[in-house]
């Protein structure tokens, strides 16, 4: 996989959001698609704001604020240096970071796990020869693997859990075989892509001074923000976090990648407009989704086009087979970058124009393997109704 020689300096990834947006190919694709859809149906343009999940946007904005505050405090650079002293090789470091991403995603959701692990990874890569892009690509795969395990790991699982009315344990037990096999496969890939080279610190510059007031403010806001978001008050949670951080260090807000919010807003509008087209509805209706095998492959395929969360919401109109839909949607998170919102977050955070190439070189074959594993577990070992 292609990888840059060194990651950007600490200030670069977040200090020029407008410049990053101009270089973002996916942003321009979304914008062109929206322009085409608007030209085809100009009468529904006033309804576009209703297509956006503003709670998700507010939650994402709050996470951006808190993550940037932690990054700007110098805490992640300090933690990175501490970790380097305890990791013997590049392979051990990679396995540790990827495993941490997968584990966190089972309880914090896949996007929150990335907001914790990716900034730490970037900080560690600045002081070691570890390849940042390659690591973050595997971390993106890891959060999709780990989040598949529990009902609270990602949005599609939460939706299916509520739909099925099964217990937390039953849902987790159903997903455990898929996650176990994919975890082993991911660990093998990480071991192959990272050598057992001794890990060393290359950066001899003085450590950044820890901004304790900023760090404490950010840490103090995490729990209130998560509680408010969990209660459906993501906007208030975001406002509270932003207000506190602005009061302590207002410059932090200027360094946030606000363009990411615009990308997600455009994606909500584009995907829901496409899903609402008569041709799309007709195509879905002709797939005979009462057949579990057809449902499985349709879920994976649709996830590659409109992401796995809207795919599950759409498929639930035609089937109540949560077991098959859960496997299909979580497998569909691999492959094309739009398969999972976590993929887009990871690629955006790495700030490498070649990252999408590296991601797809790894993620597309992983999709093929995951699809085969999921099919075998559902229809060969257990049967579709198990």
């Amino acid at each position: 996989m292609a990888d840059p020689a060194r990651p950007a300096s600490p200030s670069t990834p977040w200090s020029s959001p407008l410049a990053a947006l101009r270089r973002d190919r996916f942003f321009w694709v979304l914008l062109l698609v929206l322009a085409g859809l608007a030209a085809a149906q100009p009468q529904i343009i006033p309804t576009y704001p209703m297509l956006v999940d503003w709670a998700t946007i507010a939650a994402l904005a709050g996470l951006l604020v808190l993550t940037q505050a932690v990054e700007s405090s110098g805490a992640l650079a300090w933690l990175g240096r501490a970790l380097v002293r305890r990791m013997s090789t590049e392979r051990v470091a990679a396995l540790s970071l990827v495993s941490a991403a997968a584990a966190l995603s089972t309880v914090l959701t896949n996007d929150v796990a990335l907001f914790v692990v990716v900034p730490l990874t970037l900080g560690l890569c600045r002081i070691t020869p570890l390849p940042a892009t390659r690591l973050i690509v595997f971390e993106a795969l890891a959060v999709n693997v780990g989040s598949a395990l529990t009902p609270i790991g990602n949005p599609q699982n939460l939706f299916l859990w509520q739909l099925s009315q099964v217990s937390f344990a039953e849902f987790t037990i159903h997903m455990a075989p898929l996650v176990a096999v994919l975890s082993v496969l991911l660990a093998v890939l990480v071991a192959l892509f990272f050598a057992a080279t001794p890990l060393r610190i290359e950066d001899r510059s003085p450590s950044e001074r820890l901004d304790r007031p900023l760090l404490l403010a950010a840490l103090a806001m995490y729990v209130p923000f998560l509680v408010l978001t969990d209660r459906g008050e993501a906007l208030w949670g975001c406002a509270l976090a932003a207000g506190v951080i602005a009061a302590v260090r207002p410059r932090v807000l200027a360094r946030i990648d606000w363009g990411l919010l615009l990308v997600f807003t455009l994606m909500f509008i584009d995907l829901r407009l496409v899903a609402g087209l008569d041709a799309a509805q007709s195509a879905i209706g002709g797939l005979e989704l009462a057949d579990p095998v057809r449902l499985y492959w349709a879920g994976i395929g649709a996830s590659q086009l409109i992401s796995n969360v809207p795919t599950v919401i759409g498929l639930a109109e035609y089937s109540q087979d949560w077991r098959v839909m859960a496997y299909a949607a979580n497998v569909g998170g691999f492959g094309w970058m739009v398969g999972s919102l976590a993929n887009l977050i990871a690629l955006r955070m790495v700030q490498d124009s070649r990252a999408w190439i590296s991601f797809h070189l790894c993620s597309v074959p992983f999709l093929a393997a995951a699809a085969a594993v999921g099919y075998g577990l559902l229809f060969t070992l257990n049967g579709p109704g198990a």
Side-chain angles (χ1 to χ4, degrees), residues 31 105 251 334 357:
L31 202 58
S105 68
R251 68 176 183 277
F334 305 107
I357 299 176

Side-chain angles (χ1 to χ4, degrees), residues 54-66 217 221-222 224-229 232-248 253 256 258 261:
W54 293 111
T56 298
I57 298 298
L60 179 58
L63 288 170
L64 286 172
V65 169
L66 295 176
M221 283 298 99
Y222 264 103
F225 168 75
L226 292 175
V227 169
L228 286 170
T229 301
E233 301 291 347
L235 182 59
W236 286 109
C238 176
L240 177 63
V244 170
I245 298 303
V248 177
L253 299 185
I256 292 171
W258 297 111
L261 299 180

Side-chain angles (χ1 to χ4, degrees), residues 122-210:
L122 291 173
L124 195 151
C125 289
R126 293 185 194 106
I127 61 173
T128 70
L130 284 168
T133 297
R134 190 186 310 168
L135 259 176
I136 293 173
V137 164
F138 280 109
E139 288 167 359
L141 297 179
V143 298
N144 284 322
V145 171
S147 67
L149 180 62
T150 66
I152 60 173
N154 53 50
Q156 68 268 18
N157 281 6
L158 183 60
F159 174 78
L160 289 171
W161 183 37
Q162 299 301 309
L163 179 72
S164 65
Q165 296 296 303
V166 300
S167 67
F168 187 100
E170 182 178 347
F171 191 103
T172 302
I173 290 170
H174 173 65
M175 300 303 300
L178 176 67
V179 174
V181 176
L182 296 185
S183 296
V184 172
L185 176 60
L186 182 61
V188 170
L189 288 176
V190 172
L192 290 174
F193 274 92
F194 292 87
T197 306
L199 192 63
R200 64 188 187 279
I201 296 179
E202 290 190 340
D203 183 9
R204 301 301 177 184
S205 60
S207 300
E208 293 183 32
R209 183 178 178 181
L210 186 63

